[in-house]
Amino acid sequence: MAECDHNCANCSSKCEGAPKYFNLNEYSHIKHIVGVVSGKGGVGKSATTTLLACELAKEGYKVGILDADITGPSIPKSFGLKTGLSGNQNLMFPQISKLGIKIVSINLLLEHQDDPVLWRGPVVGSAIKQFYEDVLWEDLDYLLIDMPPGTGDVALTIFQSIPLDGVIIVSTPQDLVKMIVGKAVKMAEKMNISILGLIENMSYIKCPKCEEIIYPFGPSKLTEVSMEYNITPLGNMPIDPNLTTLVDEGKIEDYDTTFLKDIVDKIEDKMKIKLRRI
Ligand code: ADP
């Protein structure tokens, strides 16, 4: 037997005390699973998940998004996807975006996209189990999981049941959020999940007339917060009204994501595995 490297995600040995992960179906193989987390809602976690998925897809990777923000799902709308998931007796088929990103979200199963999901934690947990186990993901380089905000029950289920390679934390430069980043960091550490780094969203806005850079939430806290919690600062994202417009129009894939190249490179380095680019 190979020497134990304490990475249970890719190991078939049935050790006592090893985590009991959900079982991926036999038709799917996922190389890397990355969770995108935030301590609270509204910081741009879903927008970041979406943009990272687009950049990875543009770089030639096979990408999927599992929208685990079951009570506040916003991924399908930004891709302009209409409700409806097909399947056969055993498996659900994800919807596929223009860039080829495979997407599964509760919003694709609701009769109306604005129907609320009024489910308690265990029911939400079982929906996520089905989205992981019963979806025909086929071969993916990356599955990004848009996590529910906060450190509650459902986030805990995902941390315990899906073999994550790591998480990316998204924050904004507000002081309050800094404390909340700490909660997300400590939760990941307690659950032995590696933290790939911190992305600061809404760091600044460029005046469309004079190009002056304005810091509506004060100066960036990316370096300070990253040092405080000993995590990697992955980069900043500006506030961009064009992004909001494209999200509202369901055309997020038209957004220029080249600025995320550096962040993607850092994530890959952090995972110590460079995938072959197509
Ligand atoms: P969360 O997933 O953290 O709840 P969202 O990603 O849904 O947050 O973002 C909340 C709102 O803010 C959405 O309407 C989204 O389009 C918008 N938004 C997020 N990040 C940016 C940004 N950098 N520039 C402009 N709008 C943004």
Side-chain angles (χ1 to χ4, degrees), residues 159-226:
F159 277 7
Q160 284 174 329
S161 316
I162 296 185
L164 295 167
D165 287 272
V167 291
I168 294 165
I169 300 176
V170 181
S171 79
T172 65
Q174 289 159 292
D175 255 337
L176 171 70
V177 178
K178 178 171 136 186
M179 177 197 76
I180 294 167
V181 168
K183 289 187 195 289
V185 169
K186 284 175 191 160
M187 181 181 188
E189 283 172 354
K190 278 204 171 123
M191 308 291 298
N192 271 332
I193 306 281
S194 81
I195 298 168
L196 301 171
L198 177 64
I199 294 180
E200 188 181 78
N201 187 26
M202 307 191 193
S203 297
Y204 59 89
I205 184 163
K206 197 192 257 186
C207 171
K209 288 204 175 122
C210 67
E211 304 224 319
E212 187 192 346
I213 302 281
I214 302 156
Y215 300 93
F217 301 121
S220 169
K221 302 259 187 346
L222 180 67
T223 313
E224 184 190 325
V225 176
S226 302

Short mmCIF file of all heavy atoms in Angstrom, two decimals, residues 159-226:
data_model
loop_
_atom_site.label_atom_id
_atom_site.label_comp_id
_atom_site.label_asym_id
_atom_site.label_seq_id
_atom_site.Cartn_x
_atom_site.Cartn_y
_atom_site.Cartn_z
N PHE A 159 -18.38 20.62 3.20
CA PHE A 159 -16.99 20.42 3.64
C PHE A 159 -16.73 18.97 4.03
O PHE A 159 -15.65 18.44 3.82
CB PHE A 159 -16.68 21.34 4.83
CG PHE A 159 -16.32 22.75 4.43
CD1 PHE A 159 -16.42 23.18 3.12
CD2 PHE A 159 -15.85 23.65 5.38
CE1 PHE A 159 -16.08 24.47 2.76
CE2 PHE A 159 -15.51 24.96 5.02
CZ PHE A 159 -15.62 25.36 3.72
N GLN A 160 -17.76 18.34 4.63
CA GLN A 160 -17.56 16.97 5.13
C GLN A 160 -17.79 15.92 4.05
O GLN A 160 -17.29 14.81 4.16
CB GLN A 160 -18.54 16.68 6.27
CG GLN A 160 -18.14 17.35 7.56
CD GLN A 160 -19.19 17.18 8.64
OE1 GLN A 160 -20.38 17.10 8.35
NE2 GLN A 160 -18.75 17.14 9.88
N SER A 161 -18.57 16.26 3.02
CA SER A 161 -19.06 15.20 2.13
C SER A 161 -18.54 15.28 0.70
O SER A 161 -18.77 14.37 -0.09
CB SER A 161 -20.59 15.23 2.07
OG SER A 161 -21.12 15.39 3.35
N ILE A 162 -17.93 16.38 0.32
CA ILE A 162 -17.41 16.50 -1.05
C ILE A 162 -15.89 16.67 -0.95
O ILE A 162 -15.41 17.50 -0.17
CB ILE A 162 -18.08 17.68 -1.79
CG1 ILE A 162 -19.59 17.39 -1.94
CG2 ILE A 162 -17.45 17.92 -3.14
CD1 ILE A 162 -20.38 18.38 -2.75
N PRO A 163 -15.14 15.87 -1.71
CA PRO A 163 -13.67 15.93 -1.58
C PRO A 163 -13.08 17.18 -2.23
O PRO A 163 -12.55 17.13 -3.34
CB PRO A 163 -13.21 14.65 -2.28
CG PRO A 163 -14.30 14.31 -3.23
CD PRO A 163 -15.59 14.83 -2.65
N LEU A 164 -13.17 18.28 -1.52
CA LEU A 164 -12.69 19.56 -2.06
C LEU A 164 -11.16 19.59 -2.09
O LEU A 164 -10.51 19.16 -1.14
CB LEU A 164 -13.17 20.71 -1.16
CG LEU A 164 -14.67 20.98 -1.07
CD1 LEU A 164 -14.96 21.92 0.08
CD2 LEU A 164 -15.17 21.57 -2.37
N ASP A 165 -10.61 20.13 -3.17
CA ASP A 165 -9.15 20.37 -3.18
C ASP A 165 -8.83 21.61 -2.37
O ASP A 165 -7.70 21.79 -1.93
CB ASP A 165 -8.67 20.60 -4.62
CG ASP A 165 -8.67 19.30 -5.39
OD1 ASP A 165 -7.67 18.60 -5.36
OD2 ASP A 165 -9.71 19.00 -6.00
N GLY A 166 -9.79 22.48 -2.23
CA GLY A 166 -9.57 23.69 -1.44
C GLY A 166 -10.69 24.68 -1.66
O GLY A 166 -11.61 24.43 -2.45
N VAL A 167 -10.60 25.79 -0.93
CA VAL A 167 -11.61 26.83 -1.09
C VAL A 167 -10.95 28.17 -1.39
O VAL A 167 -9.82 28.44 -0.98
CB VAL A 167 -12.51 26.99 0.17
CG1 VAL A 167 -13.41 25.79 0.36
CG2 VAL A 167 -11.70 27.29 1.42
N ILE A 168 -11.72 28.99 -2.12
CA ILE A 168 -11.32 30.37 -2.37
C ILE A 168 -12.28 31.22 -1.55
O ILE A 168 -13.50 31.00 -1.58
CB ILE A 168 -11.48 30.72 -3.86
CG1 ILE A 168 -10.49 29.89 -4.69
CG2 ILE A 168 -11.29 32.21 -4.12
CD1 ILE A 168 -10.81 29.88 -6.17
N ILE A 169 -11.74 32.17 -0.80
CA ILE A 169 -12.60 33.03 0.01
C ILE A 169 -12.77 34.37 -0.71
O ILE A 169 -11.80 34.94 -1.22
CB ILE A 169 -12.00 33.25 1.42
CG1 ILE A 169 -11.83 31.89 2.12
CG2 ILE A 169 -12.88 34.18 2.26
CD1 ILE A 169 -11.16 31.96 3.47
N VAL A 170 -14.02 34.83 -0.77
CA VAL A 170 -14.30 36.12 -1.42
C VAL A 170 -14.74 37.10 -0.34
O VAL A 170 -15.55 36.76 0.53
CB VAL A 170 -15.41 35.99 -2.48
CG1 VAL A 170 -15.68 37.32 -3.16
CG2 VAL A 170 -15.03 34.94 -3.52
N SER A 171 -14.17 38.32 -0.40
CA SER A 171 -14.57 39.35 0.57
C SER A 171 -14.64 40.70 -0.12
O SER A 171 -14.28 40.83 -1.29
CB SER A 171 -13.58 39.42 1.73
OG SER A 171 -12.45 40.15 1.33
N THR A 172 -15.11 41.69 0.62
CA THR A 172 -15.02 43.08 0.16
C THR A 172 -14.16 43.83 1.18
O THR A 172 -13.89 43.29 2.26
CB THR A 172 -16.41 43.75 0.06
OG1 THR A 172 -16.96 43.82 1.37
CG2 THR A 172 -17.35 42.97 -0.84
N PRO A 173 -13.74 45.06 0.88
CA PRO A 173 -12.79 45.71 1.78
C PRO A 173 -13.39 46.26 3.09
O PRO A 173 -12.69 46.96 3.80
CB PRO A 173 -12.23 46.88 0.95
CG PRO A 173 -12.78 46.73 -0.41
CD PRO A 173 -13.97 45.85 -0.33
N GLN A 174 -14.62 45.95 3.40
CA GLN A 174 -15.17 46.53 4.63
C GLN A 174 -14.64 45.83 5.88
O GLN A 174 -14.40 44.63 5.86
CB GLN A 174 -16.70 46.41 4.62
CG GLN A 174 -17.33 47.34 3.63
CD GLN A 174 -18.71 46.86 3.27
OE1 GLN A 174 -18.87 45.83 2.63
NE2 GLN A 174 -19.70 47.59 3.71
N ASP A 175 -14.52 46.60 6.94
CA ASP A 175 -14.00 46.06 8.19
C ASP A 175 -14.82 44.91 8.74
O ASP A 175 -14.31 43.91 9.20
CB ASP A 175 -13.95 47.16 9.24
CG ASP A 175 -12.53 47.62 9.46
OD1 ASP A 175 -11.59 46.84 9.16
OD2 ASP A 175 -12.36 48.74 9.92
N LEU A 176 -16.14 45.11 8.65
CA LEU A 176 -17.04 44.08 9.15
C LEU A 176 -16.75 42.75 8.47
O LEU A 176 -16.70 41.70 9.08
CB LEU A 176 -18.49 44.51 8.88
CG LEU A 176 -19.55 43.46 9.15
CD1 LEU A 176 -19.68 43.21 10.64
CD2 LEU A 176 -20.89 43.91 8.59
N VAL A 177 -16.53 42.85 7.15
CA VAL A 177 -16.33 41.64 6.38
C VAL A 177 -15.00 40.97 6.76
O VAL A 177 -14.87 39.77 6.72
CB VAL A 177 -16.43 41.95 4.88
CG1 VAL A 177 -16.17 40.73 4.04
CG2 VAL A 177 -17.82 42.49 4.56
N LYS A 178 -14.04 41.80 7.19
CA LYS A 178 -12.74 41.24 7.60
C LYS A 178 -12.94 40.23 8.74
O LYS A 178 -12.37 39.15 8.72
CB LYS A 178 -11.84 42.39 8.04
CG LYS A 178 -10.50 41.96 8.55
CD LYS A 178 -9.64 43.18 8.73
CE LYS A 178 -8.89 43.14 10.03
NZ LYS A 178 -8.16 44.38 10.27
N MET A 179 -13.76 40.61 9.71
CA MET A 179 -14.05 39.70 10.82
C MET A 179 -14.73 38.44 10.27
O MET A 179 -14.43 37.32 10.69
CB MET A 179 -14.97 40.41 11.80
CG MET A 179 -15.41 39.55 12.95
SD MET A 179 -16.84 40.29 13.74
CE MET A 179 -18.15 39.89 12.62
N ILE A 180 -15.59 38.65 9.27
CA ILE A 180 -16.33 37.52 8.73
C ILE A 180 -15.41 36.59 7.93
O ILE A 180 -15.58 35.38 7.92
CB ILE A 180 -17.52 38.04 7.89
CG1 ILE A 180 -18.50 38.73 8.86
CG2 ILE A 180 -18.24 36.93 7.17
CD1 ILE A 180 -19.55 39.56 8.21
N VAL A 181 -14.39 37.18 7.27
CA VAL A 181 -13.40 36.34 6.57
C VAL A 181 -12.76 35.39 7.58
O VAL A 181 -12.55 34.21 7.31
CB VAL A 181 -12.30 37.22 5.90
CG1 VAL A 181 -11.14 36.36 5.43
CG2 VAL A 181 -12.87 38.00 4.74
N GLY A 182 -12.47 35.94 8.76
CA GLY A 182 -11.85 35.14 9.83
C GLY A 182 -12.69 33.91 10.14
O GLY A 182 -12.15 32.82 10.34
N LYS A 183 -13.99 34.06 10.15
CA LYS A 183 -14.87 32.92 10.45
C LYS A 183 -14.74 31.86 9.36
O LYS A 183 -14.67 30.67 9.65
CB LYS A 183 -16.32 33.39 10.56
CG LYS A 183 -16.62 34.21 11.80
CD LYS A 183 -18.12 34.48 11.89
CE LYS A 183 -18.45 35.58 12.88
NZ LYS A 183 -18.26 35.19 14.27
N ALA A 184 -14.73 32.31 8.10
CA ALA A 184 -14.62 31.36 6.99
C ALA A 184 -13.26 30.64 7.05
O ALA A 184 -13.17 29.42 6.85
CB ALA A 184 -14.79 32.08 5.65
N VAL A 185 -12.20 31.39 7.35
CA VAL A 185 -10.85 30.80 7.44
C VAL A 185 -10.83 29.74 8.54
O VAL A 185 -10.37 28.61 8.34
CB VAL A 185 -9.80 31.88 7.75
CG1 VAL A 185 -8.46 31.26 8.11
CG2 VAL A 185 -9.64 32.84 6.57
N LYS A 186 -11.36 30.10 9.69
CA LYS A 186 -11.29 29.17 10.83
C LYS A 186 -12.14 27.94 10.58
O LYS A 186 -11.77 26.84 10.97
CB LYS A 186 -11.71 29.89 12.11
CG LYS A 186 -10.58 30.79 12.60
CD LYS A 186 -10.95 31.62 13.79
CE LYS A 186 -9.84 32.66 14.01
NZ LYS A 186 -10.27 33.78 14.79
N MET A 187 -13.26 28.12 9.92
CA MET A 187 -14.10 26.96 9.61
C MET A 187 -13.35 25.99 8.69
O MET A 187 -13.30 24.79 8.94
CB MET A 187 -15.39 27.40 8.94
CG MET A 187 -16.31 26.23 8.61
SD MET A 187 -17.80 26.79 7.79
CE MET A 187 -18.75 25.29 7.76
N ALA A 188 -12.74 26.54 7.63
CA ALA A 188 -11.99 25.68 6.69
C ALA A 188 -10.86 24.96 7.43
O ALA A 188 -10.65 23.76 7.25
CB ALA A 188 -11.45 26.51 5.54
N GLU A 189 -10.16 25.70 8.28
CA GLU A 189 -9.04 25.08 9.02
C GLU A 189 -9.53 23.96 9.94
O GLU A 189 -8.93 22.89 9.99
CB GLU A 189 -8.29 26.15 9.82
CG GLU A 189 -7.39 26.98 8.91
CD GLU A 189 -6.76 28.18 9.62
OE1 GLU A 189 -7.10 28.44 10.79
OE2 GLU A 189 -5.94 28.84 8.98
N LYS A 190 -10.62 24.22 10.62
CA LYS A 190 -11.17 23.19 11.53
C LYS A 190 -11.57 21.93 10.77
O LYS A 190 -11.51 20.82 11.29
CB LYS A 190 -12.42 23.73 12.25
CG LYS A 190 -12.06 24.58 13.45
CD LYS A 190 -13.20 24.61 14.47
CE LYS A 190 -12.70 25.29 15.72
NZ LYS A 190 -13.45 26.44 16.14
N MET A 191 -12.03 22.12 9.52
CA MET A 191 -12.48 20.97 8.74
C MET A 191 -11.34 20.40 7.87
O MET A 191 -11.60 19.55 7.02
CB MET A 191 -13.62 21.40 7.80
CG MET A 191 -14.77 22.13 8.45
SD MET A 191 -15.74 21.10 9.54
CE MET A 191 -16.36 19.89 8.44
N ASN A 192 -10.12 20.90 8.08
CA ASN A 192 -8.96 20.41 7.32
C ASN A 192 -9.08 20.63 5.82
O ASN A 192 -8.67 19.80 5.02
CB ASN A 192 -8.75 18.91 7.55
CG ASN A 192 -7.86 18.70 8.74
OD1 ASN A 192 -7.02 19.56 9.04
ND2 ASN A 192 -8.06 17.59 9.42
N ILE A 193 -9.70 21.74 5.43
CA ILE A 193 -9.83 22.05 4.01
C ILE A 193 -8.78 23.10 3.69
O ILE A 193 -8.68 24.11 4.40
CB ILE A 193 -11.22 22.65 3.71
CG1 ILE A 193 -12.35 21.75 4.20
CG2 ILE A 193 -11.37 22.99 2.23
CD1 ILE A 193 -12.70 20.58 3.38
N SER A 194 -8.03 22.90 2.62
CA SER A 194 -6.98 23.89 2.36
C SER A 194 -7.58 25.16 1.75
O SER A 194 -8.55 25.10 0.99
CB SER A 194 -5.86 23.29 1.53
OG SER A 194 -6.22 23.29 0.21
N ILE A 195 -6.99 26.29 2.12
CA ILE A 195 -7.48 27.58 1.63
C ILE A 195 -6.57 28.00 0.49
O ILE A 195 -5.37 28.21 0.68
CB ILE A 195 -7.49 28.62 2.77
CG1 ILE A 195 -8.43 28.15 3.88
CG2 ILE A 195 -7.91 29.99 2.25
CD1 ILE A 195 -8.32 28.92 5.17
N LEU A 196 -7.15 28.10 -0.71
CA LEU A 196 -6.33 28.45 -1.88
C LEU A 196 -5.99 29.93 -1.88
O LEU A 196 -4.99 30.33 -2.44
CB LEU A 196 -7.07 28.06 -3.16
CG LEU A 196 -7.40 26.55 -3.26
CD1 LEU A 196 -8.31 26.29 -4.44
CD2 LEU A 196 -6.13 25.73 -3.37
N GLY A 197 -6.83 30.73 -1.25
CA GLY A 197 -6.50 32.16 -1.15
C GLY A 197 -7.73 33.04 -1.05
O GLY A 197 -8.86 32.55 -1.00
N LEU A 198 -7.44 34.34 -1.02
CA LEU A 198 -8.49 35.34 -0.81
C LEU A 198 -8.60 36.24 -2.04
O LEU A 198 -7.60 36.73 -2.56
CB LEU A 198 -8.12 36.18 0.41
CG LEU A 198 -9.03 37.34 0.80
CD1 LEU A 198 -10.42 36.85 1.22
CD2 LEU A 198 -8.41 38.14 1.96
N ILE A 199 -9.83 36.44 -2.51
CA ILE A 199 -10.08 37.41 -3.58
C ILE A 199 -10.88 38.56 -2.98
O ILE A 199 -11.89 38.32 -2.30
CB ILE A 199 -10.89 36.79 -4.74
CG1 ILE A 199 -10.07 35.69 -5.43
CG2 ILE A 199 -11.31 37.86 -5.76
CD1 ILE A 199 -10.77 34.99 -6.59
N GLU A 200 -10.40 39.78 -3.19
CA GLU A 200 -11.15 40.94 -2.71
C GLU A 200 -11.96 41.50 -3.87
O GLU A 200 -11.40 41.96 -4.85
CB GLU A 200 -10.21 42.00 -2.14
CG GLU A 200 -10.99 43.12 -1.45
CD GLU A 200 -10.07 44.19 -0.91
OE1 GLU A 200 -9.59 45.01 -1.73
OE2 GLU A 200 -9.80 44.20 0.30
N ASN A 201 -13.29 41.44 -3.72
CA ASN A 201 -14.18 41.96 -4.76
C ASN A 201 -14.58 43.38 -4.40
O ASN A 201 -14.52 43.78 -3.24
CB ASN A 201 -15.42 41.05 -4.86
CG ASN A 201 -16.32 41.43 -6.02
OD1 ASN A 201 -15.88 41.99 -7.02
ND2 ASN A 201 -17.60 41.12 -5.90
N MET A 202 -15.00 44.13 -5.39
CA MET A 202 -15.48 45.51 -5.21
C MET A 202 -14.42 46.39 -4.54
O MET A 202 -14.75 47.25 -3.72
CB MET A 202 -16.77 45.52 -4.38
CG MET A 202 -17.85 44.60 -4.95
SD MET A 202 -19.43 44.86 -4.16
CE MET A 202 -20.36 43.45 -4.71
N SER A 203 -13.16 46.16 -4.90
CA SER A 203 -12.06 46.90 -4.27
C SER A 203 -12.07 48.37 -4.66
O SER A 203 -11.71 49.22 -3.85
CB SER A 203 -10.72 46.32 -4.70
OG SER A 203 -10.60 45.01 -4.26
N TYR A 204 -12.41 48.64 -5.93
CA TYR A 204 -12.35 50.02 -6.41
C TYR A 204 -13.27 50.17 -7.62
O TYR A 204 -13.77 49.18 -8.15
CB TYR A 204 -10.91 50.39 -6.81
CG TYR A 204 -10.33 49.51 -7.89
CD1 TYR A 204 -10.50 49.82 -9.24
CD2 TYR A 204 -9.65 48.35 -7.56
CE1 TYR A 204 -10.00 48.99 -10.23
CE2 TYR A 204 -9.14 47.50 -8.54
CZ TYR A 204 -9.32 47.83 -9.87
OH TYR A 204 -8.84 47.00 -10.86
N ILE A 205 -13.46 51.42 -8.01
CA ILE A 205 -14.23 51.67 -9.24
C ILE A 205 -13.49 52.75 -10.03
O ILE A 205 -12.93 53.68 -9.45
CB ILE A 205 -15.69 52.07 -8.92
CG1 ILE A 205 -16.51 52.24 -10.21
CG2 ILE A 205 -15.79 53.33 -8.07
CD1 ILE A 205 -18.01 52.22 -9.99
N LYS A 206 -13.46 52.56 -11.33
CA LYS A 206 -12.77 53.55 -12.18
C LYS A 206 -13.82 54.50 -12.75
O LYS A 206 -14.81 54.05 -13.35
CB LYS A 206 -12.06 52.82 -13.31
CG LYS A 206 -11.00 53.67 -14.00
CD LYS A 206 -10.55 53.00 -15.27
CE LYS A 206 -9.21 52.34 -15.10
NZ LYS A 206 -8.70 51.80 -16.37
N CYS A 207 -13.62 55.82 -12.55
CA CYS A 207 -14.57 56.80 -13.06
C CYS A 207 -14.61 56.71 -14.59
O CYS A 207 -13.56 56.80 -15.24
CB CYS A 207 -14.18 58.21 -12.62
SG CYS A 207 -15.19 59.47 -13.43
N PRO A 208 -15.78 56.49 -15.17
CA PRO A 208 -15.84 56.32 -16.63
C PRO A 208 -15.47 57.60 -17.38
O PRO A 208 -15.11 57.54 -18.55
CB PRO A 208 -17.30 55.94 -16.89
CG PRO A 208 -18.06 56.29 -15.66
CD PRO A 208 -17.09 56.37 -14.52
N LYS A 209 -15.54 58.76 -16.68
CA LYS A 209 -15.24 60.01 -17.38
C LYS A 209 -13.76 60.36 -17.28
O LYS A 209 -13.08 60.57 -18.28
CB LYS A 209 -16.08 61.14 -16.79
CG LYS A 209 -17.54 61.03 -17.18
CD LYS A 209 -18.25 62.37 -17.11
CE LYS A 209 -19.67 62.22 -17.63
NZ LYS A 209 -20.65 62.61 -16.65
N CYS A 210 -13.22 60.40 -16.04
CA CYS A 210 -11.83 60.88 -15.89
C CYS A 210 -10.85 59.75 -15.55
O CYS A 210 -9.66 59.97 -15.42
CB CYS A 210 -11.77 61.95 -14.81
SG CYS A 210 -12.12 61.30 -13.18
N GLU A 211 -11.37 58.50 -15.41
CA GLU A 211 -10.53 57.33 -15.12
C GLU A 211 -9.89 57.36 -13.74
O GLU A 211 -9.00 56.56 -13.44
CB GLU A 211 -9.45 57.12 -16.20
CG GLU A 211 -10.03 57.01 -17.59
CD GLU A 211 -9.40 55.90 -18.40
OE1 GLU A 211 -8.18 55.75 -18.32
OE2 GLU A 211 -10.15 55.20 -19.10
N GLU A 212 -10.32 58.31 -12.88
CA GLU A 212 -9.78 58.32 -11.52
C GLU A 212 -10.25 57.05 -10.79
O GLU A 212 -11.37 56.60 -11.00
CB GLU A 212 -10.30 59.55 -10.75
CG GLU A 212 -9.64 59.70 -9.38
CD GLU A 212 -10.36 60.73 -8.49
OE1 GLU A 212 -11.19 61.49 -9.00
OE2 GLU A 212 -10.09 60.73 -7.28
N ILE A 213 -9.36 56.48 -9.98
CA ILE A 213 -9.73 55.29 -9.21
C ILE A 213 -10.32 55.73 -7.87
O ILE A 213 -9.68 56.50 -7.13
CB ILE A 213 -8.49 54.39 -8.96
CG1 ILE A 213 -7.83 53.97 -10.29
CG2 ILE A 213 -8.84 53.19 -8.10
CD1 ILE A 213 -8.50 52.85 -11.02
N ILE A 214 -11.49 55.23 -7.57
CA ILE A 214 -12.16 55.59 -6.31
C ILE A 214 -12.30 54.31 -5.47
O ILE A 214 -12.58 53.24 -6.01
CB ILE A 214 -13.57 56.18 -6.60
CG1 ILE A 214 -13.42 57.41 -7.49
CG2 ILE A 214 -14.32 56.52 -5.32
CD1 ILE A 214 -14.66 57.73 -8.30
N TYR A 215 -12.09 54.48 -4.16
CA TYR A 215 -12.20 53.32 -3.25
C TYR A 215 -13.44 53.50 -2.38
O TYR A 215 -13.35 54.03 -1.27
CB TYR A 215 -10.93 53.21 -2.40
CG TYR A 215 -9.68 53.02 -3.22
CD1 TYR A 215 -8.90 54.11 -3.63
CD2 TYR A 215 -9.28 51.74 -3.61
CE1 TYR A 215 -7.78 53.93 -4.41
CE2 TYR A 215 -8.15 51.56 -4.39
CZ TYR A 215 -7.41 52.66 -4.79
OH TYR A 215 -6.30 52.48 -5.57
N PRO A 216 -14.61 53.07 -2.85
CA PRO A 216 -15.85 53.37 -2.12
C PRO A 216 -15.92 52.74 -0.73
O PRO A 216 -16.58 53.26 0.14
CB PRO A 216 -16.96 52.81 -3.02
CG PRO A 216 -16.30 51.93 -3.99
CD PRO A 216 -14.88 52.30 -4.07
N PHE A 217 -15.22 51.63 -0.53
CA PHE A 217 -15.23 51.00 0.81
C PHE A 217 -13.91 51.24 1.54
O PHE A 217 -13.53 50.48 2.43
CB PHE A 217 -15.47 49.49 0.70
CG PHE A 217 -16.77 49.13 0.04
CD1 PHE A 217 -16.79 48.36 -1.11
CD2 PHE A 217 -17.97 49.58 0.55
CE1 PHE A 217 -17.99 48.02 -1.73
CE2 PHE A 217 -19.18 49.25 -0.05
CZ PHE A 217 -19.18 48.48 -1.20
N GLY A 218 -13.18 52.27 1.14
CA GLY A 218 -11.86 52.52 1.75
C GLY A 218 -10.81 51.72 1.01
O GLY A 218 -11.12 50.94 0.10
N PRO A 219 -9.52 51.92 1.40
CA PRO A 219 -8.44 51.24 0.68
C PRO A 219 -8.53 49.73 0.79
O PRO A 219 -9.14 49.21 1.72
CB PRO A 219 -7.17 51.76 1.37
CG PRO A 219 -7.61 52.50 2.57
CD PRO A 219 -9.06 52.76 2.49
N SER A 220 -7.91 49.05 -0.17
CA SER A 220 -7.93 47.59 -0.19
C SER A 220 -7.40 47.01 1.12
O SER A 220 -6.42 47.49 1.68
CB SER A 220 -7.06 47.09 -1.34
OG SER A 220 -6.87 45.70 -1.23
N LYS A 221 -8.04 45.94 1.58
CA LYS A 221 -7.59 45.26 2.80
C LYS A 221 -7.01 43.88 2.45
O LYS A 221 -6.78 43.07 3.34
CB LYS A 221 -8.78 45.05 3.74
CG LYS A 221 -9.52 46.29 4.16
CD LYS A 221 -9.09 46.70 5.56
CE LYS A 221 -9.86 47.84 6.17
NZ LYS A 221 -10.71 48.66 5.34
N LEU A 222 -6.80 43.64 1.15
CA LEU A 222 -6.40 42.30 0.72
C LEU A 222 -5.11 41.82 1.41
O LEU A 222 -5.07 40.73 1.98
CB LEU A 222 -6.22 42.28 -0.80
CG LEU A 222 -5.82 40.94 -1.39
CD1 LEU A 222 -6.93 39.90 -1.25
CD2 LEU A 222 -5.45 41.07 -2.87
N THR A 223 -4.08 42.68 1.37
CA THR A 223 -2.80 42.27 1.95
C THR A 223 -2.92 42.11 3.46
O THR A 223 -2.48 41.10 4.03
CB THR A 223 -1.71 43.32 1.62
OG1 THR A 223 -1.82 43.64 0.23
CG2 THR A 223 -0.33 42.83 1.92
N GLU A 224 -3.55 43.12 4.07
CA GLU A 224 -3.67 43.12 5.53
C GLU A 224 -4.42 41.88 6.04
O GLU A 224 -3.93 41.17 6.93
CB GLU A 224 -4.45 44.40 5.90
CG GLU A 224 -4.60 44.66 7.37
CD GLU A 224 -5.60 45.83 7.57
OE1 GLU A 224 -5.62 46.77 6.74
OE2 GLU A 224 -6.37 45.77 8.55
N VAL A 225 -5.56 41.60 5.42
CA VAL A 225 -6.38 40.46 5.89
C VAL A 225 -5.66 39.14 5.58
O VAL A 225 -5.64 38.22 6.41
CB VAL A 225 -7.79 40.49 5.24
CG1 VAL A 225 -8.61 39.28 5.64
CG2 VAL A 225 -8.52 41.76 5.64
N SER A 226 -5.02 39.07 4.42
CA SER A 226 -4.32 37.83 4.05
C SER A 226 -3.19 37.55 5.03
O SER A 226 -2.97 36.41 5.45
CB SER A 226 -3.73 37.92 2.64
OG SER A 226 -4.74 38.19 1.73
#
